[in-house]
Amino acid sequence: MEDSNDRSGLPRGIDHVGVTVSDIDAAIRFLERAFGAVPLYRNVTPDHPQKGPETEKTLGLAEGTVVREMCMVALGTGPCIELFEMHGPDQRPAVRPCDFGVQHFAVYVDDIEAGCRRFTAAGGTLLTQPQKQPSLEEGPGNFFCYGQAPWGMIIELLATPSREHFDAVSPEKRYQPPPRQAG
């Protein structure tokens, strides 16, 4: 029987989210322009792609898929985005939010209107204008907006400076990225 106080093996939190894109350089430019993202390093390059049965097994890829490039990208002070450019048989467009699997990731912005302007100027498409957060997430200054990245993935922009309602009913406080440092 496992000791209920044993915390070994529990995660500290989310380290990164992996996202497959059709053109890694275009995706990096979009994330830089939209969110001030910083490319950290490229772990897979066109000169040294990952492919073959071992890669397919390790990553759960369709036979014949080639991982052409991978780039770890920092987004403010939260988890990173790990971009993959893969090419393989029978590739499909981005899933719809109603399909199973990761449906979106969210970025916290202090100014939702400015964040939405940056998003569209970088090539993203807003699905709506910013809206007030509903239900327990409602509060002064709490807004959200969904948009679509150029490669088809859904990205949410949100601001929740008023956290009293959901923090009052949650067993732990919800994570909020700290403010960006000037510079």
Side-chain angles (χ1 to χ4, degrees):
M1 178 121 183
E2 186 176 299
D3 179 1
S4 63
N5 291 324
D6 181 14
R7 299 182 65 82
S8 64
L10 294 177
R12 289 185 181 187
I14 293 176
D15 179 79
H16 69 271
V17 175
V19 176
T20 301
V21 299
S22 55
D23 179 328
I24 202 165
D25 292 321
I28 291 168
R29 283 191 302 276
F30 170 76
L31 293 172
E32 287 173 327
R33 290 180 63 207
F35 304 126
V38 177
L40 300 177
Y41 56 86
R42 293 188 188 227
N43 205 30
V44 177
T45 64
D47 294 337
H48 296 93
Q50 291 182 339
K51 59 185 174 181
E54 187 176 331
T55 296
E56 293 161 5
K57 182 179 180 190
T58 300
L59 299 176
L61 302 174
E63 187 177 335
T65 300
V66 175
V67 181
R68 183 177 179 273
E69 287 194 72
M70 185 286 289
C71 183
M72 190 66 75
V73 179
L75 229 62
T77 57
C80 290
I81 303 296
E82 185 177 28
L83 295 175
F84 289 87
E85 182 178 324
M86 297 187 201
H87 300 279
D90 199 31
Q91 243 174 338
R92 300 179 191 130
V95 298
R96 302 166 301 164
C98 61
D99 292 333
F100 296 119
V102 176
Q103 61 150 273
H104 75 276
F105 67 83
V107 296
Y108 192 98
V109 295
D110 291 310
D111 181 335
I112 193 89
E113 296 290 338
C116 287
R117 284 192 301 274
R118 287 183 69 105
F119 187 84
T120 57
T125 303
L126 295 179
L127 301 180
T128 65
Q129 292 302 307
Q131 302 175 38
K132 291 183 179 183
Q133 292 277 9
S135 189
L136 282 174
E137 294 178 339
E138 185 177 3
N142 291 3
F143 289 92
F144 75 102
C145 183
Y146 285 91
Q148 191 169 32
W151 60 89
M153 183 174 189
I154 302 299
I155 300 174
E156 178 183 5
L157 290 83
L158 70 97
T160 53
S162 303
R163 307 168 72 78
E164 305 80 34
H165 298 301
F166 56 83
D167 277 349
V169 299
S170 299
E172 294 183 15
K173 293 207 181 287
R174 179 176 162 182
Y175 173 76
Q176 182 180 40
R180 277 186 177 255
Q181 299 297 317

